[in-house]
Amino acid sequence: MNLAPQVERYLPHQVLELVGTISREADRLGQRAYLVGGVVRDLLLGHPNFDLDLVVEGDALELAERLAGTTQAKLATHPRFGTAKLSCGDFTLDLATARGETYARPGALPTVTPGTLSDDLLRRDFSINAMTISLAPDDYGELVDPYQGKVDLEHGLVRVLHSRSFCDDATRILRAVRYEQRLGFSLEPETARLLERDIPMLRTISADRTRHELELILREKHPEHAIRRLGELGVLPEIHPALKGNGWIAGSFDKARQLSRAGQLPSLYLCLLVYHLSEQQNERFIERLNLPNSLADVLRHTLRLKTGLPFLNRPSIRRSEIYRFLREFRPVAIQSNVIASEFRSASLKLELFLTTLRYVKTSVDGERLRELGFPAGPELGIALRRLQTARLDGEVKTRAEEEKLALSLNPQGD
Ligand code: CTP
């Protein structure tokens, strides 16, 4: 089957030009280059995907260097693995020399040996990701599909290529569910059986790799589908025994999308995922995934704020008190409590802080206080804080009113 028309139709002009250059330069070097993996799958489905993966029969590094020279793309190479990455504006191109892989033990990083295109496809996760499109001029656009990935795409199936697949690399358990839910597919029955059998193999995967796969899930359009499915299959407890993929998660993720910026979503989803964990359970979750400090703090703030919500729920609380209480918390942790809190009145106060209070500034600053005759020293700080309280609580509304209040606070004034 020739997919040249799909390549022309679905790849944007800039990417097509690059594909043409790859085809020519590989041929000049006596190499054969193939598009592989996600881009082939998505071309067949008619979905856009501009992250190109290329497998090269020959030397991917040599080809990458040549391409970097002709296209001005930024080049990063990993000679040990025979891989290179070219970044060009909005899209990236990953190149790898065709290789075979063996696993010294389950979950270990693979030992890589040079191999044929067939070896390279056999080492991949699922049939739908194990197809290539040739870019060689003599058979440009030809689909290479030794494991019937196209048939599986047509039947909506995620299927592993051999029975040790999840043992070799248990991140594939998370990947299988991600693709299944993203594409609205099913796990092929034997694949589902192997997946359930090999769930304990997730323990062989490092915290960093597990976190990476979870992050990929949380970057999906509707991650709650994969989370629910992971719960249903019994995978979630392998990440943390208290994690749930229930209706509450679905509802709160949905609300998160309505209320928040796209860039904030993955960390917000993570906060919601741990929202019903105890602080101790949360610490184990942080450790299990080796979360970076900044993200770990967001999760800790989320749970700490949750226990502090009754303080905000008081009807008589002043705006300055809300401000002083909440300014210690990370905005994403506050946002997660807006979404998850059962206290309607506390939620409104959290929103008030996020939309308004945190931006309130006094017109009079320290320098102006000095001009107004304030002595340097602790009184200056106390006066600034008093002015801020007055601004937040609406006691002063204009610069003139602030200055009047400032003058009345000057210990050296009359
Ligand atoms: N791959 C694999 N096993 C893994 C990770 C990746 O076999 N554990 C292979 C698959 O062939 C996959 C390709 O490497 O298609 C590229 O991986 P990645 O960029 O993670 O996935 P994409 O297929 O590009 O999918 P996505 O749409 O999620 O980016």
Side-chain angles (χ1 to χ4, degrees):
M1 180 182 190
N2 195 287
L3 294 174
Q6 281 87 334
V7 172
E8 304 284 321
R9 182 156 159 219
Y10 291 114
L11 295 185
H13 180 68
Q14 200 191 4
V15 179
L16 256 185
E17 263 184 18
L18 179 66
V19 165
T21 311
I22 294 167
S23 173
R24 281 191 304 276
E25 293 300 332
D27 193 48
R28 268 185 208 143
L29 292 170
Q31 307 187 359
R32 300 181 77 82
Y34 302 82
L35 290 174
V36 67
V39 66
V40 180
R41 177 196 71 221
D42 288 345
L43 275 176
L44 283 165
L45 289 170
H47 297 171
N49 181 341
F50 312 136
D51 283 332
L52 301 192
D53 280 303
L54 215 64
V55 59
V56 180
E57 285 185 315
D59 181 352
L61 296 183
E62 191 188 6
L63 177 60
E65 270 158 27
R66 181 69 76 93
L67 290 171
T70 43
T71 62
Q72 253 96 73
K74 236 178 76 202
L75 173 69
T77 57
H78 301 281
R80 200 178 136 214
F81 297 108
T83 61
K85 189 187 260 308
L86 285 170
S87 310
C88 205
D90 283 347
F91 63 91
T92 56
L93 172 67
D94 282 294
L95 299 96
T97 306
R99 63 193 195 248
E101 283 177 354
T102 50
Y103 293 81
R105 61 188 155 75
L109 286 175
T111 309
V112 173
T113 44
T116 61
L117 183 65
S118 297
D119 296 330
D120 197 278
L121 292 180
L122 180 62
R123 75 179 172 84
R124 290 175 185 265
D125 49 6
F126 311 113
S127 65
I128 57 172
N129 286 343
M131 295 179 273
T132 67
I133 297 175
S134 172
L135 299 183
D138 58 0
D139 62 356
Y140 184 88
E142 273 309 308
L143 178 70
V144 181
D145 178 19
Y147 303 105
Q148 283 74 51
K150 186 166 173 292
V151 173
D152 284 339
L153 272 185
E154 285 158 5
H155 291 110
L157 291 175
V158 176
R159 186 166 55 83
V160 286
L161 305 187
H162 55 86
S163 64
R164 285 195 51 80
S165 188
F166 293 121
C167 273
D168 286 345
D169 176 1
T171 64
R172 291 173 179 168
I173 292 174
L174 303 174
R175 294 174 65 85
V177 171
R178 178 160 62 89
Y179 292 120
E180 181 199 43
Q181 295 303 310
R182 180 203 293 174
L183 300 172
F185 281 19
S186 308
L187 298 177
E188 173 272 332
E190 177 61 6
T191 299
R193 191 187 69 76
L194 295 168
L195 183 151
E196 291 187 69
R197 181 197 72 183
D198 291 338
I199 288 172
M201 301 312 283
L202 271 169
R203 288 173 216 164
T204 64
I205 301 298
S206 70
D208 289 340
R209 292 183 68 210
T210 310
R211 183 187 65 246
H212 177 67
E213 289 301 330
L214 185 62
E215 281 169 353
L216 291 179
I217 288 175
L218 296 180
R219 280 190 225 138
E220 291 288 317
K221 213 163 158 200
H222 290 282
E224 64 273 24
H225 297 167
I227 300 291
R228 178 194 44 77
R229 181 73 165 128
L230 290 171
E232 203 172 85
L233 288 163
V235 177
L236 283 185
E238 227 17 272
I239 299 175
H240 190 293
L243 290 183
K244 299 258 178 330
N246 53 20
W248 186 86
I249 289 287
S252 61
F253 277 27
D254 195 40
K255 211 162 147 195
R257 280 189 293 276
Q258 290 167 32
L259 295 180
S260 315
R261 281 184 296 111
Q264 213 180 35
L265 283 174
S267 37
L268 196 49
Y269 289 144
L270 210 58
C271 295
L272 296 168
L273 214 49
V274 302
Y275 198 75
H276 292 109
L277 267 53
S278 68
E279 292 196 3
Q280 224 178 12
Q281 289 171 328
N282 187 38
E283 287 308 316
R284 281 216 302 278
F285 179 77
I286 288 168
E287 204 182 312
R288 170 72 178 88
L289 297 178
N290 190 25
L291 292 184
N293 286 339
S294 60
L295 198 50
D297 277 344
V298 170
L299 298 194
R300 292 185 183 116
H301 282 204
T302 297
L303 297 193
R304 193 145 51 78
L305 178 55
K306 179 184 161 191
T307 60
L309 288 180
F311 173 78
L312 287 179
N313 215 26
R314 289 180 302 142
S316 58
I317 191 167
R318 291 206 314 252
R319 287 157 59 105
S320 55
E321 289 179 279
I322 300 174
Y323 174 83
R324 301 240 152 78
F325 178 70
L326 288 177
R327 72 177 165 176
E328 309 299 332
F329 292 95
R330 304 279 292 268
V332 175
I334 300 179
Q335 182 70 342
S336 66
N337 275 279
V338 170
I339 292 162
S341 158
E342 294 153 18
F343 303 108
R344 175 81 187 124
S345 131
S347 278
L348 289 174
K349 286 159 189 161
L350 298 172
E351 277 183 291
L352 177 68
F353 174 83
L354 287 176
T355 56
T356 312
L357 300 184
R358 68 173 159 150
Y359 302 114
V360 169
K361 294 262 175 305
T362 52
S363 316
V364 170
D365 58 10
E367 206 176 320
R368 181 67 187 135
L369 285 185
R370 297 279 289 139
E371 283 167 17
L372 291 171
F374 263 74
E379 287 86 2
L380 198 86
I382 294 168
L384 281 173
R385 191 180 149 94
R386 175 70 190 94
L387 286 178
Q388 190 189 38
T389 303
R391 245 309 171 181
L392 284 162
D393 292 338
E395 293 166 33
V396 293
K397 294 200 169 61
T398 62
R399 183 181 176 89
E401 285 173 1
E402 264 186 37
E403 294 203 350
K404 199 168 149 209
L405 175 61
L407 287 170
S408 76
L409 296 172
N410 189 347
Q412 293 183 350
D414 9 88

